[in-house]
Amino acid sequence: DQIGDMIQTARKLEGSVRNTGIHACGVIITPDDITKYVPVTVAKDSELLVSQFDNSVAESAGLLKMDFLGLRTLTIIDDAVKIIELVHGVKIDPDAIPLDDPKTYELVAIFQYESAGMQKYMKDLKPTTFDDLIAMNALYRPGPLAYIPDFIARKHGRQVIHYDLPAMEEYLKDTYGITVYQEQVMLLSQKLANFTKGEADVLRKAMGKKQKAVLDKMYPKFLEGAEKNGHPKEICDKVWKDWEAFASYAFNKSHSTCYALLGFQTAYLKANYPSEFMAAVLSNNKSDITGITKLLQECNRMNVPVLGPDINESVSDFTSNKAGQIRFGMSALKGVGEGPVEDILKERDKRGPFKSIYDFVKRLDTKSANKKVLESLVLGGAFDCFEDKEKGMGHRAQFFAPSGKYDSFIEQVLHFGTAWQERQASAAMSLFGNDSSAMDIAEPEPPKCNPWSLIEKLEREKEVTGIYISGHPLDDYRLEMENFITCTMEDLEERKGQPVKVAGIVVKSIHKVSQKGTGYGTFVLQDYHGTLELSLFSDDYMKFKGFFEQGNCVFITGNYEARWGRDDEFSLKVKEVTLLENAGKNIVKSLTLKINVADLTPTLIDQLEALCKEHKGQQQLKMTLLDYDNKTSLSFTSKAKKVNVSNDLVAAVKGLGVECAVG
């Protein structure tokens, strides 16, 4: 009987250890040689001794198990501190950062506070103390999340702070009467019911690990002790039941404090030294192109300029200058390794900045400055500092144009540098030699050619950086991108079978003719987040083909629908197309300012008045006053003032801290 054999075999195998593994960060600590306490082994691919006792029984066997975790945030803080000292000469001790710094409390979108949900709650909370940050760290999780609105309302006096027993105020005052931490339960059990410190710790552990049997055993002792201290039984019974419910999300305050402190330290650096902090963050994410793109968008939002690599300013990693600008790191360029960068920096430190591309190839060995390295540096813009626009010399296209007998000016320049170094070395070796013969070698003239278009320049820049640094073709259309599209190209897959509005730049345009003689085309579009390929046939091609020329920025209305005859493949069916620059003229009717009455000051009114004069136009100006305390709002439409709704106006309004909506 095969089934019987299978069951018998399974019974023999059950409980057998198939393989062993090492916990990523679990470390066992013993007071003496570990072999005196538990059997050990050496795990595969490791010289470390490993306990043969499983993780689940190690602690009950008397071993102290600690988890040591690496945290990139600590490296970012350390790197930021080094950049600040280099740029400003200020040595910052992260542990001495003042925990009452007002600029830091204004900044909430950082580290543990970076999710959209947490940002919303932080804006509502308006934290003013470090205790607020610790509490929000503990509350922003499934379960206790429901208590956050009450926590915020109590902080701002919109809800009465209530304590079940007056004696509980001492330990619940900092969290506005809401039990948030395990430590609060431990302290209250000692105060209300005379629990010993050991019993309080057992209670904490039972709550954290949801050990209901242990909690049930401790319940009568709690009631008995509370009654001895004169606390009403029915109220104590309620307190215990609240604690039991709390057990499902009990959080350790010391853990939350550590993360809140790291969050505060990073927020302090971001608020007070924004460019230095963001340079450290970029350096620690330089291998993650997607992450870099988002971080560069954050730099843009913070008005922190990110400059491309510069052969005379850049170092290996991202860094900052005294003007508050971030400079791209040379080692972040594809094709430029740490070795060449190290040689470039060593030469620069020794003999000063490079004066020209010729000076560069004279001073560096071709092993460091080979063709691939030079191509990457050129494409990234590292030699843009040598460009002479009046003479038409040194633009990026010239380096790749044929020059003399060479396929490119880069090859000719490298040959010149090698020849110059060889001639100089030969002259130095000669008994009567000097380096004048090396000077006889003429610097090659750059070839005459047209500069690349912005699109080509940006695309080739992206080859070595993974991103657009000098700008983005869509930067001039931020207003349209933020207000008119319904989804990004990255999000199209989530809109199957739905109408969509997308916008992007045409990066590839291929026009063809079918065997029947009718035209059709394949086009590739790109926005800030992704790429879209679409095809146009027959009447659609004839109607829209003029819009899909390379370099055009277009706004498309259509449906993301299944391809004809294929249910598993989707494509964009185009209904309407217009140039992105014209989209706003047809759609924008008004600009609505959303202002909290608490923020409305004479200064803000004057600033808004000045902006309206500067941006006069034909579109309506509206205003909504929000009164959060009384939960009311009032809307107005200006009859006297009309504005030109543009990227500059929206950016200026947001720069004053005022939210606005384009309608």
Side-chain angles (χ1 to χ4, degrees):
D1 183 13
Q2 288 183 333
I3 294 176
D5 289 343
M6 181 186 72
I7 292 171
Q8 291 302 319
T9 305
R11 289 181 66 181
K12 291 175 186 176
L13 291 173
E14 189 177 359
S16 300
V17 176
R18 186 176 69 86
N19 65 300
T20 59
I22 305 176
H23 191 285
C25 56
V27 176
I28 297 292
I29 298 173
T30 53
D32 203 344
D33 190 327
I34 191 170
T35 56
K36 294 180 181 179
Y37 300 90
V38 291
V40 294
T41 184
V42 178
K44 186 182 176 185
D45 301 326
S46 173
E47 295 178 4
L48 294 171
L49 290 178
V50 181
S51 161
Q52 289 191 38
F53 279 18
D54 188 33
N55 177 43
S56 59
V57 296
E59 284 185 315
S60 58
L63 302 176
L64 174 61
K65 181 175 70 69
M66 302 291 287
D67 285 355
F68 293 98
L69 299 167
L71 208 58
R72 183 185 288 180
T73 307
L74 293 169
T75 308
I76 289 171
I77 291 171
D78 188 56
D79 289 349
V81 166
K82 287 174 184 172
I83 296 171
I84 292 165
E85 185 174 12
L86 191 69
V87 176
H88 300 287
V90 177
K91 178 74 176 173
I92 289 178
D93 178 2
D95 294 328
I97 284 172
L99 295 179
D100 58 354
D101 179 59
K103 281 180 80 174
T104 304
Y105 286 106
E106 290 173 17
L107 183 76
V108 293
I110 190 76
F111 190 48
Q112 290 288 301
Y113 316 120
E114 63 190 5
S115 69
M118 180 62 110
Q119 286 180 36
K120 176 188 176 297
Y121 284 128
M122 281 292 193
K123 285 174 184 174
D124 293 342
L125 177 67
K126 296 181 178 65
T128 52
T129 68
F130 187 57
D131 283 318
D132 288 343
L133 302 184
I134 301 171
M136 286 299 279
N137 240 310
L139 288 170
Y140 192 72
R141 294 172 300 115
L145 196 68
Y147 288 90
I148 291 180
D150 289 341
F151 185 86
I152 293 170
R154 291 185 182 194
K155 175 179 173 63
H156 294 292
R158 296 194 295 269
Q159 190 180 105
V160 177
I161 298 173
H162 171 73
Y163 304 98
D164 289 320
L165 295 166
M168 299 174 77
E169 182 175 355
E170 180 184 358
Y171 297 125
L172 297 183
K173 188 176 182 181
D174 289 342
T175 53
Y176 313 110
I178 296 170
T179 305
V180 176
Y181 315 113
Q182 293 175 344
E183 287 88 341
Q184 288 174 317
V185 172
M186 291 171 69
L187 291 165
L188 286 170
S189 68
Q190 293 171 67
K191 182 174 183 178
L192 299 179
N194 303 326
F195 272 33
T196 64
K197 285 182 171 62
E199 288 170 335
D201 190 52
V202 171
L203 176 62
R204 172 200 63 78
K205 196 168 184 179
M207 292 178 71
K209 296 185 181 294
K210 303 180 181 68
Q211 297 171 343
K212 191 162 188 322
V214 179
L215 290 173
D216 290 344
K217 192 175 177 182
M218 301 188 87
Y219 171 58
K221 182 172 177 57
F222 174 77
L223 287 183
E224 184 184 336
E227 279 190 272
K228 279 183 185 175
N229 288 329
H231 300 304
K233 182 180 182 301
E234 62 277 7
I235 294 178
C236 291
D237 191 51
K238 176 190 178 297
V239 168
W240 183 268
K241 285 193 169 115
D242 287 345
W243 286 358
E244 282 190 314
F246 171 78
S248 63
Y249 61 79
F251 204 75
N252 185 294
K253 185 180 182 182
S254 56
H255 182 85
S256 185
T257 303
C258 290
Y259 276 82
L261 181 61
L262 279 178
F264 190 89
Q265 288 174 348
T266 49
Y268 175 87
L269 294 170
K270 187 176 183 184
N272 293 278
Y273 300 95
S275 61
E276 292 80 6
F277 173 75
M278 290 307 294
V281 176
L282 285 162
S283 291
N284 280 275
N285 289 274
K286 66 183 179 185
S287 59
D288 177 10
I289 293 301
T290 304
I292 283 276
T293 304
K294 289 178 181 176
L295 289 168
L296 288 177
Q297 287 172 359
E298 175 64 5
C299 289
N300 185 64
R301 187 198 65 77
M302 294 165 62
N303 294 318
V304 173
V306 178
L307 308 177
D310 184 290
I311 202 67
N312 285 326
E313 276 195 23
S314 292
V315 291
S316 182
D317 284 332
F318 290 84
T319 190
S320 174
N321 59 26
K322 288 188 177 178
Q325 301 163 319
I326 292 174
R327 179 65 76 179
F328 205 91
M330 284 190 281
S331 67
L333 292 169
K334 201 179 295 179
V336 182
E338 296 283 353
V341 173
E342 194 176 314
D343 291 342
I344 291 168
L345 296 179
K346 197 181 291 181
E347 175 62 28
R348 201 173 76 191
D349 291 341
K350 183 180 174 183
R351 295 170 57 191
F354 300 102
K355 299 179 183 66
S356 66
I357 185 63
Y358 310 111
D359 184 40
F360 180 82
V361 294
K362 284 179 188 177
R363 289 164 58 181
L364 278 165
D365 192 296
T366 51
K367 290 178 183 175
S368 297
N370 59 33
K371 183 182 174 185
K372 179 62 182 169
V373 170
L374 250 69
E375 285 178 347
S376 295
L377 289 169
V378 170
L379 292 175
F383 294 128
D384 286 358
C385 55
F386 300 144
E387 186 175 351
D388 188 334
K389 291 183 180 177
E390 286 186 13
K391 294 181 180 178
M393 291 175 62
H395 57 78
R396 296 182 198 179
Q398 281 181 316
F399 285 92
F400 292 88
S403 185
K405 63 180 181 180
Y406 299 94
D407 290 338
S408 70
F409 183 53
I410 284 179
E411 288 183 18
Q412 188 176 20
V413 163
L414 281 170
H415 179 78
F416 161 78
T418 303
W420 191 92
Q421 289 177 27
E422 287 173 353
R423 187 77 66 89
Q424 190 180 50
S426 175
M429 292 290 288
S430 169
L431 183 61
F432 304 103
N434 55 52
D435 61 1
S436 61
S437 59
M439 302 304 175
D440 294 340
I441 302 176
E443 295 175 351
E445 280 283 324
K448 301 294 181 190
C449 68
N450 292 324
W452 287 331
S453 66
L454 175 63
I455 302 307
E456 186 173 4
K457 179 182 172 183
L458 290 173
E459 282 302 320
R460 301 202 68 177
E461 185 178 277
K462 193 177 179 183
E463 287 175 21
V464 294
T465 63
I467 48 176
Y468 296 121
I469 307 174
S470 305
H472 192 286
L474 297 174
D475 283 347
D476 291 335
Y477 305 103
R478 285 196 175 275
L479 180 76
E480 290 82 358
M481 296 298 291
E482 289 174 5
N483 294 281
F484 304 154
I485 67 170
T486 56
C487 70
T488 65
M489 291 173 186
E490 187 181 46
D491 297 332
L492 269 173
E493 285 301 308
E494 298 172 13
R495 302 296 182 103
K496 291 176 179 176
Q498 297 179 32
V500 294
K501 292 178 181 178
V502 296
I505 179 169
V506 181
V507 294
K508 188 182 286 185
S509 179
I510 301 173
H511 299 270
K512 295 182 179 180
V513 178
S514 71
Q515 290 180 346
K516 293 181 180 178
T518 57
Y520 68 99
T522 302
F523 313 101
V524 178
L525 281 77
Q526 202 172 73
D527 65 6
Y528 287 112
H529 305 281
T531 301
L532 168 70
E533 184 175 308
L534 61 85
S535 299
L536 294 176
F537 302 95
S538 307
D539 291 346
D540 287 342
Y541 175 74
M542 296 305 296
K543 187 176 178 182
F544 300 127
K545 67 177 181 179
F547 291 102
F548 291 99
E549 294 302 328
Q550 189 169 331
N552 281 355
C553 294
V554 295
F555 177 74
I556 303 170
T557 302
N559 286 316
Y560 194 60
E561 56 189 45
R563 290 181 186 271
W564 187 79
R566 297 291 300 268
D567 293 333
D568 56 339
E569 287 185 19
F570 283 74
S571 62
L572 181 63
K573 171 67 175 173
V574 178
K575 282 190 170 181
E576 291 178 37
V577 184
T578 185
L579 292 175
L580 197 50
E581 61 194 75
N582 295 326
K585 297 173 186 175
N586 303 328
I587 299 174
V588 177
K589 293 184 173 60
S590 66
L591 178 71
T592 303
L593 310 179
K594 298 178 180 180
I595 305 174
N596 183 350
V597 289
D599 299 332
L600 198 59
T601 62
T603 303
L604 180 61
I605 292 170
D606 291 342
Q607 290 170 326
L608 291 171
E609 180 87 29
L611 283 178
C612 291
K613 285 181 181 176
E614 187 182 342
H615 296 273
K616 280 185 179 178
Q618 298 301 312
Q619 288 144 328
Q620 281 190 323
L621 177 67
K622 298 180 180 180
M623 184 182 294
T624 301
L625 292 177
L626 305 165
D627 184 345
Y628 289 108
D629 290 337
N630 296 309
K631 296 181 180 177
T632 58
S633 64
L634 285 172
S635 296
F636 305 92
T637 299
S638 173
K639 292 183 178 178
K641 291 181 177 58
K642 290 195 173 182
V643 292
N644 174 32
V645 183
S646 64
N647 288 291
D648 291 341
L649 176 58
V650 171
V653 169
K654 289 182 177 178
L656 297 176
V658 175
E659 287 187 36
C660 60
V662 176

